[in-house]
mmCIF file with all atom_site columns, all heavy atoms in Angstrom:
data_model
loop_
_atom_site.group_PDB
_atom_site.id
_atom_site.type_symbol
_atom_site.label_atom_id
_atom_site.label_alt_id
_atom_site.label_comp_id
_atom_site.label_asym_id
_atom_site.label_entity_id
_atom_site.label_seq_id
_atom_site.pdbx_PDB_ins_code
_atom_site.Cartn_x
_atom_site.Cartn_y
_atom_site.Cartn_z
_atom_site.occupancy
_atom_site.B_iso_or_equiv
_atom_site.pdbx_formal_charge
_atom_site.auth_seq_id
_atom_site.auth_comp_id
_atom_site.auth_asym_id
_atom_site.auth_atom_id
_atom_site.pdbx_PDB_model_num
ATOM 1  N N   . LEU F 1 16 ? -4.461  6.442  -46.614 1.00 0.00 ? 16 LEU F N   1
ATOM 2  C CA  . LEU F 1 16 ? -4.361  5.089  -46.287 1.00 0.00 ? 16 LEU F CA  1
ATOM 3  C C   . LEU F 1 16 ? -3.763  5.019  -44.836 1.00 0.00 ? 16 LEU F C   1
ATOM 4  O O   . LEU F 1 16 ? -4.175  4.254  -43.909 1.00 0.00 ? 16 LEU F O   1
ATOM 5  C CB  . LEU F 1 16 ? -3.473  4.335  -47.252 1.00 0.00 ? 16 LEU F CB  1
ATOM 6  C CG  . LEU F 1 16 ? -3.570  2.769  -47.161 1.00 0.00 ? 16 LEU F CG  1
ATOM 7  C CD1 . LEU F 1 16 ? -5.015  2.368  -47.476 1.00 0.00 ? 16 LEU F CD1 1
ATOM 8  C CD2 . LEU F 1 16 ? -2.472  2.165  -48.056 1.00 0.00 ? 16 LEU F CD2 1
ATOM 9  N N   . GLY F 1 17 ? -2.691  5.834  -44.591 1.00 0.00 ? 17 GLY F N   1
ATOM 10 C CA  . GLY F 1 17 ? -1.980  5.887  -43.343 1.00 0.00 ? 17 GLY F CA  1
ATOM 11 C C   . GLY F 1 17 ? -3.025  6.285  -42.251 1.00 0.00 ? 17 GLY F C   1
ATOM 12 O O   . GLY F 1 17 ? -3.015  5.783  -41.180 1.00 0.00 ? 17 GLY F O   1
ATOM 13 N N   . ALA F 1 18 ? -3.750  7.350  -42.564 1.00 0.00 ? 18 ALA F N   1
ATOM 14 C CA  . ALA F 1 18 ? -4.754  7.964  -41.639 1.00 0.00 ? 18 ALA F CA  1
ATOM 15 C C   . ALA F 1 18 ? -5.715  6.821  -41.269 1.00 0.00 ? 18 ALA F C   1
ATOM 16 O O   . ALA F 1 18 ? -6.142  6.571  -40.086 1.00 0.00 ? 18 ALA F O   1
ATOM 17 C CB  . ALA F 1 18 ? -5.426  9.105  -42.007 1.00 0.00 ? 18 ALA F CB  1
ATOM 18 N N   . LEU F 1 19 ? -6.168  6.105  -42.298 1.00 0.00 ? 19 LEU F N   1
ATOM 19 C CA  . LEU F 1 19 ? -7.129  4.980  -42.033 1.00 0.00 ? 19 LEU F CA  1
ATOM 20 C C   . LEU F 1 19 ? -6.552  3.841  -41.114 1.00 0.00 ? 19 LEU F C   1
ATOM 21 O O   . LEU F 1 19 ? -7.203  3.543  -40.174 1.00 0.00 ? 19 LEU F O   1
ATOM 22 C CB  . LEU F 1 19 ? -7.574  4.339  -43.369 1.00 0.00 ? 19 LEU F CB  1
ATOM 23 C CG  . LEU F 1 19 ? -8.346  3.048  -43.286 1.00 0.00 ? 19 LEU F CG  1
ATOM 24 C CD1 . LEU F 1 19 ? -9.734  3.455  -42.671 1.00 0.00 ? 19 LEU F CD1 1
ATOM 25 C CD2 . LEU F 1 19 ? -8.543  2.402  -44.692 1.00 0.00 ? 19 LEU F CD2 1
ATOM 26 N N   . LEU F 1 20 ? -5.281  3.538  -41.326 1.00 0.00 ? 20 LEU F N   1
ATOM 27 C CA  . LEU F 1 20 ? -4.673  2.476  -40.465 1.00 0.00 ? 20 LEU F CA  1
ATOM 28 C C   . LEU F 1 20 ? -4.481  2.945  -39.038 1.00 0.00 ? 20 LEU F C   1
ATOM 29 O O   . LEU F 1 20 ? -4.815  2.276  -38.132 1.00 0.00 ? 20 LEU F O   1
ATOM 30 C CB  . LEU F 1 20 ? -3.313  2.082  -41.053 1.00 0.00 ? 20 LEU F CB  1
ATOM 31 C CG  . LEU F 1 20 ? -3.479  1.410  -42.346 1.00 0.00 ? 20 LEU F CG  1
ATOM 32 C CD1 . LEU F 1 20 ? -2.020  0.975  -42.928 1.00 0.00 ? 20 LEU F CD1 1
ATOM 33 C CD2 . LEU F 1 20 ? -4.181  -0.019 -42.250 1.00 0.00 ? 20 LEU F CD2 1
ATOM 34 N N   . LEU F 1 21 ? -4.058  4.273  -38.859 1.00 0.00 ? 21 LEU F N   1
ATOM 35 C CA  . LEU F 1 21 ? -3.721  4.860  -37.484 1.00 0.00 ? 21 LEU F CA  1
ATOM 36 C C   . LEU F 1 21 ? -5.094  4.796  -36.797 1.00 0.00 ? 21 LEU F C   1
ATOM 37 O O   . LEU F 1 21 ? -5.132  4.442  -35.647 1.00 0.00 ? 21 LEU F O   1
ATOM 38 C CB  . LEU F 1 21 ? -3.201  6.137  -37.582 1.00 0.00 ? 21 LEU F CB  1
ATOM 39 C CG  . LEU F 1 21 ? -1.775  6.157  -38.188 1.00 0.00 ? 21 LEU F CG  1
ATOM 40 C CD1 . LEU F 1 21 ? -1.255  7.538  -38.297 1.00 0.00 ? 21 LEU F CD1 1
ATOM 41 C CD2 . LEU F 1 21 ? -0.834  5.492  -37.173 1.00 0.00 ? 21 LEU F CD2 1
ATOM 42 N N   . THR F 1 22 ? -6.048  5.409  -37.475 1.00 0.00 ? 22 THR F N   1
ATOM 43 C CA  . THR F 1 22 ? -7.438  5.463  -36.778 1.00 0.00 ? 22 THR F CA  1
ATOM 44 C C   . THR F 1 22 ? -8.030  4.077  -36.429 1.00 0.00 ? 22 THR F C   1
ATOM 45 O O   . THR F 1 22 ? -8.532  3.979  -35.215 1.00 0.00 ? 22 THR F O   1
ATOM 46 C CB  . THR F 1 22 ? -8.329  6.241  -37.607 1.00 0.00 ? 22 THR F CB  1
ATOM 47 O OG1 . THR F 1 22 ? -7.733  7.240  -38.376 1.00 0.00 ? 22 THR F OG1 1
ATOM 48 C CG2 . THR F 1 22 ? -9.406  6.809  -36.855 1.00 0.00 ? 22 THR F CG2 1
ATOM 49 N N   . SER F 1 23 ? -7.823  3.173  -37.302 1.00 0.00 ? 23 SER F N   1
ATOM 50 C CA  . SER F 1 23 ? -8.353  1.849  -36.969 1.00 0.00 ? 23 SER F CA  1
ATOM 51 C C   . SER F 1 23 ? -7.602  1.201  -35.760 1.00 0.00 ? 23 SER F C   1
ATOM 52 O O   . SER F 1 23 ? -8.195  0.692  -34.898 1.00 0.00 ? 23 SER F O   1
ATOM 53 C CB  . SER F 1 23 ? -8.241  0.859  -38.166 1.00 0.00 ? 23 SER F CB  1
ATOM 54 O OG  . SER F 1 23 ? -8.653  1.437  -39.392 1.00 0.00 ? 23 SER F OG  1
ATOM 55 N N   . ALA F 1 24 ? -6.332  1.509  -35.810 1.00 0.00 ? 24 ALA F N   1
ATOM 56 C CA  . ALA F 1 24 ? -5.453  0.931  -34.617 1.00 0.00 ? 24 ALA F CA  1
ATOM 57 C C   . ALA F 1 24 ? -5.948  1.505  -33.392 1.00 0.00 ? 24 ALA F C   1
ATOM 58 O O   . ALA F 1 24 ? -6.168  0.782  -32.326 1.00 0.00 ? 24 ALA F O   1
ATOM 59 C CB  . ALA F 1 24 ? -4.030  1.142  -34.873 1.00 0.00 ? 24 ALA F CB  1
ATOM 60 N N   . ALA F 1 25 ? -6.180  2.907  -33.337 1.00 0.00 ? 25 ALA F N   1
ATOM 61 C CA  . ALA F 1 25 ? -6.711  3.588  -32.250 1.00 0.00 ? 25 ALA F CA  1
ATOM 62 C C   . ALA F 1 25 ? -8.039  3.041  -31.756 1.00 0.00 ? 25 ALA F C   1
ATOM 63 O O   . ALA F 1 25 ? -8.312  2.779  -30.694 1.00 0.00 ? 25 ALA F O   1
ATOM 64 C CB  . ALA F 1 25 ? -6.765  5.019  -32.355 1.00 0.00 ? 25 ALA F CB  1
ATOM 65 N N   . GLY F 1 26 ? -8.958  2.786  -32.857 1.00 0.00 ? 26 GLY F N   1
ATOM 66 C CA  . GLY F 1 26 ? -10.235 2.282  -32.519 1.00 0.00 ? 26 GLY F CA  1
ATOM 67 C C   . GLY F 1 26 ? -10.291 0.855  -31.951 1.00 0.00 ? 26 GLY F C   1
ATOM 68 O O   . GLY F 1 26 ? -11.134 0.520  -31.120 1.00 0.00 ? 26 GLY F O   1
#
Side-chain angles (χ1 to χ4, degrees):
Chain F
L16 198 65
L19 173 65
L20 290 178
L21 291 170
T22 322
S23 311

